[in-house]
Amino acid sequence: MIPIGHYFVLSALLFSIGLLGILIRRNVLLILLSIEIMLNAANLMFIAGASLHGRLDGQIAAFFVMVIAAAEVTVGLAIAVLLFRKQNSVDTNEIKWLKG
Amino acid sequence: LQGTGAEDILLTQRFRKSYTLLATFVGLTFLGTVTFLIRGFFFPQALKAQGTAEAFGTELFTRFLLPFEMTSLLLLLGVFAALALAKKDPS
């Protein structure tokens, strides 16, 4: 089988790629995409940990993470739609309404 | 996915320049920390649990029934929230 360390490193790599994407992206939709990448990294680690210990708890935890991700994407996309309606672009550099 | 006029934006302008260095540093530090912490874990592991759908369903509906019902309620509330947020005003 595949050693568990490989799952760890892949999950950490995916998580840091998602983290990098959230920190430096300007497009709101791509920020949401990076959040999804981070959630996928956590899911991968849940499943790998469940397989390592021989239990089903990690798989059920991954199930609930997917449900929460679906609800969060729903609300996040609704907010992105509102943002687009207000400023007619999805650039986060143009959110300047609280200044001055 | 990039929106309208994405071809006009240069690659160097698509990111927040002031955060790129710091974000790369944070990401690499995180990756290095995790890889350093797990350096003893590279042994082959046998697949112990048979993740059959029957076992998964039994666990989900007996031990984890309360989180299951709560997340179904959460999904319903998410749908209501998205509806309320994205509705156009009839004005």
Side-chain angles (χ1 to χ4, degrees), chain A residues 4 27 31 36-37 39 42 46 49 52 57 62-63 65 68 70 80 88:
Chain A
I4 191 70
N27 196 343
I31 291 177
E36 290 303 309
I37 293 176
L39 282 167
F46 269 125
L52 171 70
D57 294 352
F63 177 84
V65 166
I68 302 290
N88 217 25

Side-chain angles (χ1 to χ4, degrees), chain A residues 5-49:
Chain A
H6 294 316
Y7 285 107
F8 268 112
V9 171
L10 179 64
S11 170
L13 193 65
L14 275 176
F15 192 86
S16 50
I17 285 173
L19 184 68
L20 203 70
I22 287 180
L23 287 176
I24 68 176
R25 288 283 189 181
R26 275 169 54 171
N27 196 343
V28 158
L29 297 174
L30 289 176
I31 291 177
L32 283 172
L33 205 74
S34 304
I35 293 176
E36 290 303 309
I37 293 176
M38 289 168 80
L39 282 167
N40 271 322
N43 261 348
L44 176 68
M45 209 52 242
F46 269 125
I47 303 289

Side-chain angles (χ1 to χ4, degrees), chain A residues 17 54-55 58 64 73 80 82-83 90 98:
Chain A
I17 285 173
R55 305 179 53 141
F64 286 126
V73 156
L82 276 181
L83 183 75
V90 284
L98 287 180

